[in-house]
Amino acid sequence: MDDFTTFIRDLKKLPAEEQDKIIEEKKTKCICPTCPSYNKCAIVEREKLFCMIGQSFLCISYEEGCKCEECPIAKEYGLDYKYFCTRGDEKGQRYLNSVWGSTVE
């Protein structure tokens, strides 16, 4: 089992308050606000951590560039995908890849 799968499995076992604390701690390491796709709406709505929470439903609707591969969270958990703000979290992209057999580029 890889680091991301282990993290998500362990996180789901915790009470909701503990999950929220861990997610908030991860947001402090998040580099989403430095990404070319991140916009003023995302700043106002304080959207972050798309790799774990999921894509932006309010603010980011198109891709202008991606820094996901540079993110310390992506490196820490060995994330395979990118453009989480528009394509969904790691878990969702892994599922789509398993169904369709390829990544979306």
Side-chain angles (χ1 to χ4, degrees):
M1 189 176 308
D2 66 7
D3 291 340
F4 176 74
T5 304
T6 301
F7 171 74
I8 294 299
R9 182 172 285 169
D10 292 345
L11 185 67
K12 289 171 75 174
K13 293 177 185 176
L14 298 173
E17 307 90 41
E18 284 296 313
Q19 290 179 24
D20 292 343
K21 285 179 187 176
I22 291 169
I23 293 298
E24 288 304 313
E25 186 270 326
K26 296 294 179 202
K27 284 183 178 181
T28 65
K29 297 178 183 177
C30 180
I31 66 164
C32 289
T34 69
C35 184
S37 295
Y38 203 79
N39 58 32
K40 288 181 183 180
C41 176
I43 293 168
V44 170
E45 295 299 325
R46 297 178 24 204
E47 291 187 336
K48 282 185 170 183
L49 205 65
F50 302 111
C51 60
M52 293 188 179
I53 295 174
Q55 73 188 57
S56 170
F57 289 103
L58 296 172
C59 299
I60 303 171
S61 57
Y62 56 95
E63 299 167 350
E64 291 190 32
C66 185
K67 289 189 171 185
C68 292
E69 294 172 341
E70 300 171 23
C71 182
I73 294 167
K75 291 176 182 177
E76 180 179 357
Y77 294 106
L79 305 186
D80 297 324
Y81 296 92
K82 58 185 177 179
Y83 284 106
F84 301 113
C85 60
T86 57
R87 300 179 188 179
D89 61 5
E90 179 77 8
K91 181 180 166 188
Q93 289 192 56
R94 286 184 183 195
Y95 172 75
L96 288 175
N97 183 46
S98 72
V99 171
W100 297 106
S102 64
T103 59
V104 178
E105 284 297 325

